[in-house]
Amino acid sequence: RYAPHTVVCGLLARGPLVLAIDDAHWCDEGTLRFIDELMRSSHHETLTVLLHLPRGVPTPAAAAFHELATRDYCTVVDPGSPRPAGTTAPASEDVAELARREPRLLAVARAAAALHSTEPDLVGALAGLPSQTADRLLEEAGTRGLLPGPLPAHGTRLLWDTLSESERQRWYAQAAEILNDAAAPVEQVADLLLEQSRLDRPWMRTVLREAAAASRHHRPAAAVAYLTRLHAADTEDASVRLDLAEALVDIDPSAARGHLAHLADAPSGTVDRPVREHTAGLLRLVALMLHESPDGPAALGTLLRRAASGGPDVPPAGPAARGTGTTA
């Protein structure tokens, strides 16, 4: 090993050097270890090492080869199908080929698509790679059309075509957990949870509740989506049903009325008193909006009195009080 190293150092002293090795699958373990050592010791020099595998040849089984491929200073590429930036996404059969030949590149592309982020630390955590490796592979994924810009909400559809539904959901669940641990905006995490068929972890429901509250005013439709997913997970949760009805009042009052009627008709003892009181108030409001209440002014007066006093309903004291409610 010392003699070749001396030769390489001498050549590097004269200028940039490219060391190309064809049919790299025939390299023995010692040669691969030497190449690894050479690249680590020459990382400040203008040295490029190319290890070529013929198309169709399986990846070598030598442990040193796989260790070399995962180094931060190594990049795995497929020179047979380069894609300039801005090209269309690969066909599904290309994705299947990527899964076989370049699984790390495909994992990085899927991670970025699931996270809706090209932050190397986050992508590397989901793909199971060092952040430096993820950063390099992200650039390559963009160049080859796997991650067109601007990055869509879930990346290119073909990235997921070769996965089963359960595998795809597992990617999104792990992405949501990583974003949640990284203190990402709660709505960003909740958007990923909408993809889940099961909310089997307590933090998932907490995130959806918090996201619904955070988006109530500036993204009311999103709040409805989060609460609808929560309601589907547990239709017996009266507080979620009430929150969903309240979020629907300005979007679909008829749908809100259906949820409120269900709560109002629930057997005694199954719904807490505060929920029942809030339900009664919302029912009156929805009736006003749908022009279905014959005593609309009186109901509105009751709501106004409750809002002013902050306490339970107080019956009108006389015509003057009723007149005030009617005027309001």
Side-chain angles (χ1 to χ4, degrees):
R1 299 184 185 183
Y2 298 102
H5 188 272
T6 301
V7 173
V8 169
C9 289
L11 292 172
L12 283 173
R14 294 159 48 186
L17 174 66
V18 175
L19 176 61
I21 302 178
D22 201 7
D23 295 330
H25 56 292
W26 292 117
C27 286
D28 61 277
E29 190 93 7
T31 299
L32 294 170
R33 298 287 182 192
F34 166 71
I35 293 172
D36 193 5
E37 294 171 6
L38 179 65
M39 294 176 69
R40 283 190 281 112
S41 63
S42 307
H43 66 281
H44 291 304
E45 307 291 343
T46 52
L47 170 67
T48 300
V49 177
L50 300 177
L51 300 178
H52 175 257
L53 295 177
R55 182 173 293 276
V57 172
T59 303
F65 189 96
H66 294 281
E67 293 174 9
L68 190 61
T70 59
R71 300 297 190 200
D72 288 341
Y73 43 78
C74 294
T75 302
V76 179
V77 298
D78 182 2
S81 57
R83 295 182 182 274
T87 58
T88 57
S92 57
E93 57 268 19
D94 294 335
V95 174
E97 181 69 10
L98 277 174
R100 187 180 70 84
R101 293 183 59 85
E102 301 181 62
R104 296 193 313 156
L105 178 61
L106 184 56
V108 163
R110 282 176 175 158
L115 291 163
H116 195 197
S117 171
T118 53
E119 172 60 41
D121 289 340
L122 297 178
V123 172
L126 182 54
L129 295 169
S131 59
Q132 291 180 330
T133 302
D135 191 21
R136 222 174 25 250
L137 291 174
L138 279 168
E139 182 178 354
E140 183 181 348
T143 300
R144 297 172 65 171
L146 287 170
L147 293 174
L151 189 65
H154 298 303
T156 55
R157 179 183 58 82
L158 290 170
L159 288 176
W160 311 106
D161 279 356
T162 57
L163 294 180
S164 66
E165 180 64 18
S166 61
E167 290 173 325
R168 186 178 67 85
Q169 288 197 20
R170 185 160 56 250
W171 273 90
Y172 284 136
Q174 292 174 350
E177 187 168 7
I178 287 173
L179 289 176
N180 190 49
D181 291 343
V186 67
E187 293 161 271
Q188 184 181 357
V189 181
D191 285 340
L192 289 172
L193 295 179
L194 293 177
E195 301 284 337
Q196 298 300 302
S197 60
R198 294 188 304 166
L199 302 178
D200 51 3
R201 303 180 192 176
W203 67 267
M204 294 180 171
R205 302 191 182 206
T206 301
V207 164
L208 286 169
R209 290 294 291 264
E210 292 177 354
S215 60
R216 175 70 188 276
H217 298 293
H218 67 285
R219 293 177 64 211
V224 169
Y226 301 144
L227 291 167
T228 298
R229 182 66 193 87
L230 273 174
H231 174 63
D234 185 2
T235 58
E236 300 303 318
D237 191 325
S239 63
V240 169
R241 188 186 285 271
L242 178 59
D243 288 344
L244 176 56
E246 193 168 13
L248 282 167
V249 166
D250 293 328
I251 297 177
D252 188 349
S254 295
R257 179 186 55 187
H259 288 291
L260 293 169
H262 183 278
L263 289 171
D265 293 338
S268 177
T270 61
V271 177
D272 294 340
R273 181 176 177 180
V275 173
R276 282 194 180 278
E277 291 178 352
H278 197 175
T279 298
L282 284 177
L283 270 173
R284 293 174 184 141
L285 178 59
V286 169
L288 286 172
M289 296 174 67
L290 297 176
H291 307 288
E292 294 179 350
S293 176
D295 59 342
L300 182 56
T302 300
L303 290 174
L304 290 175
R305 285 192 298 277
R306 175 182 295 175
S309 65
D313 297 346
V314 178
R322 286 194 296 270
T324 301
T326 303
T327 302

